[in-house]
Amino acid sequence: MNYDLSAEEQHLYDTVSDFADTVVAPAAYGYDTERRLPMEIIAQMGEMGLFGLPFPKKYGGQGGDYVQLCLAVEALGRVDQSIGVTLEAGVGLGIMPIYRNGSPAQRETWLPDLLAGRALAGFGLTEAKAGSDAGATATTAVLDGDDWVINGSKQFITNSGTPITSLVTITAVTGERTGRMGERKPELSSIIVPSGTPGFTVEPAYDKVGWHTSDTHPLTLTDVRVPAANLLGERGRGYANFLQSLDEGRIAFAALATGAAQGCLEEALRYAKERVVFGSTIGSNQHVAFKIAKMQARVHQARLAWLDAARKMVAGKPFKIEASIAKMVAGEAAMDNARDATQVFGGYGFLNENAVARHYRDSKILEIGEGTTEVQLMIITRELGLVA
């Protein structure tokens, strides 16, 4: 892999890839079958400093940048998307909002354990009727003296129920605001809810098609009381602040999808060179060879897309349209490569013990999570000035 990576970036990618191949991959089928997030592997990732990669050393981070985080996510996604998304969401949705918008006291309280991988955090935006349309949020938070009293529910919240989950930041309606046309709209704010707070219930995990290892739960908040000081950032800026994190998160999500596409390519290429039918390897069949060639092209396009977006982000340049392009291109590359790799494997590709089968199940969410393909197209067309 050489896409104008620095020596430090290449070393990081190689190190995490080696960890993925020697530690994650051999255990993946076992904990996928158990539908268990392997905390022992998460602990090792913490010891490697992966959760602190893009954060300053003064907070306990590694002093790196977002490109390095994405390289680590891609390397893990090659062999297990669930482990890759645990890192991606843990940083992008769990840590980044607190680092970007938190008060000095909030950073001092939460960041050390989160950056060290001793704790995980989630972000609760999605609800049953408020996904892409976050303005439909029904969860409310009302000030009562020095406390916020929160009522509502959240859906599909990653890293919300692990043994080391320390908090979930939730969005809630805290009042009303005036829109651009003078209309009244809900005022959305972000509030930190520590795990174990009375009334904060982590419901049983979902029975998902894929990402069996990733920790994902619905949440219920019933008269949850947290201090007023748990407001994250300015009141009424909850949605705007989340959009910033979401734009950044799409780049890392694209890196995860690129890793999945790369993993499918590697498995298909290996099998095509080993599997002998009618006296020759299946890879010598032009139809199979061309299928794998297209898989390579998809990986290349996806990697260039997320690297371009990440470089722009790190340089402080606008990257919104590039992030959406990367997320869309990489998500589709992962799904297409998973389908083609499974076809190359034939019947063996339908067995869960094979990595391509897990990628086949896992990859569909890469076209849905952190903004569907249709949402990315909407963002791109708006950025081009085609849709109001």
Side-chain angles (χ1 to χ4, degrees):
M1 178 177 179
N2 184 3
Y3 288 76
D4 291 328
L5 300 183
S6 68
E8 182 180 8
E9 290 169 341
Q10 187 67 57
H11 176 70
L12 171 67
Y13 183 84
D14 292 342
T15 299
V16 181
S17 291
D18 181 69
F19 172 76
D21 290 336
T22 59
V23 176
V24 180
Y29 175 56
Y31 56 69
D32 180 86
T33 302
E34 297 168 3
R35 303 198 174 203
R36 173 182 68 87
L37 180 64
M39 300 312 301
E40 63 278 10
I41 288 179
I42 302 304
Q44 288 178 265
M45 290 163 57
E47 292 168 2
M48 293 171 67
L50 300 188
F51 290 93
L53 276 172
F55 302 103
K57 292 183 179 179
K58 70 176 182 178
Y59 294 116
Q62 301 299 307
D65 61 25
Y66 211 75
V67 172
Q68 293 180 348
L69 170 67
C70 291
L71 288 169
V73 169
E74 181 186 321
L76 291 168
R78 286 171 45 250
V79 302
D80 193 313
Q81 293 183 41
S82 290
I83 298 299
V85 79
T86 299
L87 174 62
E88 185 272 333
V91 173
L93 299 178
I95 303 174
M96 198 62 75
I98 295 174
Y99 171 68
R100 296 279 192 214
N101 308 307
S103 66
Q106 289 169 341
R107 292 178 179 178
E108 183 179 346
T109 298
W110 301 109
L111 289 184
D113 283 343
L114 291 172
L115 270 58
R118 294 187 295 268
L120 289 171
F123 196 102
L125 174 76
T126 305
E127 299 181 3
K129 297 183 179 180
S132 300
D133 180 13
T137 297
T139 297
T140 61
V142 179
L143 270 177
D144 181 21
D146 293 329
D147 291 336
W148 289 106
V149 180
I150 307 170
N151 284 280
S153 61
K154 298 293 178 179
Q155 302 283 332
F156 310 129
I157 310 306
T158 305
N159 294 340
S160 57
T162 78
I164 60 171
T165 298
S166 60
L167 67 99
V168 176
T169 301
I170 62 98
T171 52
V173 178
T174 52
E176 287 189 334
R177 64 181 179 85
T178 302
R180 287 180 296 178
M181 306 300 293
E183 74 279 20
R184 302 303 294 168
K185 289 189 172 184
E187 171 193 81
L188 292 181
S189 303
S190 298
I191 301 172
I192 297 172
V193 180
S195 297
T197 301
F200 177 47
T201 304
V202 179
E203 305 292 352
Y206 292 103
D207 182 12
K208 297 172 293 185
V209 170
W211 282 9
H212 290 162
T213 297
S214 174
D215 179 86
T216 320
H217 297 264
L219 307 174
T220 301
L221 301 101
T222 306
D223 292 331
V224 171
R225 282 185 172 268
V226 298
N230 280 26
L231 178 72
L232 184 62
E234 298 179 25
R235 179 170 175 167
R237 293 285 298 171
Y239 185 54
N241 291 339
F242 178 74
L243 285 179
Q244 179 185 11
S245 295
L246 193 59
D247 286 339
E248 296 172 355
R250 284 177 178 139
I251 303 174
F253 209 76
L256 172 67
T258 302
Q262 175 71 41
C264 291
L265 169 65
E266 292 175 4
E267 287 294 308
L269 186 60
R270 174 187 60 79
Y271 190 73
K273 291 179 178 179
E274 293 176 355
R275 175 66 164 157
V276 175
V277 178
F278 301 122
S280 61
T281 62
I282 60 173
S284 63
N285 181 302
Q286 192 178 71
H287 180 72
V288 174
F290 281 5
K291 190 182 295 289
I292 295 175
K294 287 184 178 180
M295 294 172 69
Q296 173 67 77
R298 294 184 194 118
V299 171
H300 184 63
Q301 292 165 347
R303 186 173 290 126
L304 288 175
W306 82 249
L307 272 169
D308 177 57
R311 297 288 190 205
K312 283 184 168 65
M313 174 191 161
V314 170
K317 299 177 180 180
F319 64 91
K320 189 180 188 70
I321 192 169
E322 289 84 0
S324 285
I325 290 171
K327 197 275 175 184
M328 180 180 68
V329 169
E332 292 180 348
M335 190 69 245
D336 289 344
N337 275 17
R339 183 190 63 246
D340 284 351
T342 302
Q343 193 71 19
V344 169
F345 268 71
Y348 287 107
F350 205 61
L351 302 180
N352 282 328
E353 65 191 61
N354 288 319
V356 295
R358 293 196 300 277
H359 278 306
Y360 188 79
R361 288 187 284 103
D362 291 347
S363 292
K364 184 56 193 174
I365 192 62
L366 296 171
E367 297 182 307
I368 299 172
E370 297 214 25
T372 63
T373 296
E374 291 75 17
V375 166
Q376 305 317 309
L377 289 168
M378 180 181 68
I379 292 170
I380 294 166
T381 53
R382 283 180 176 174
E383 292 296 304
L384 293 174
L386 295 174
V387 179

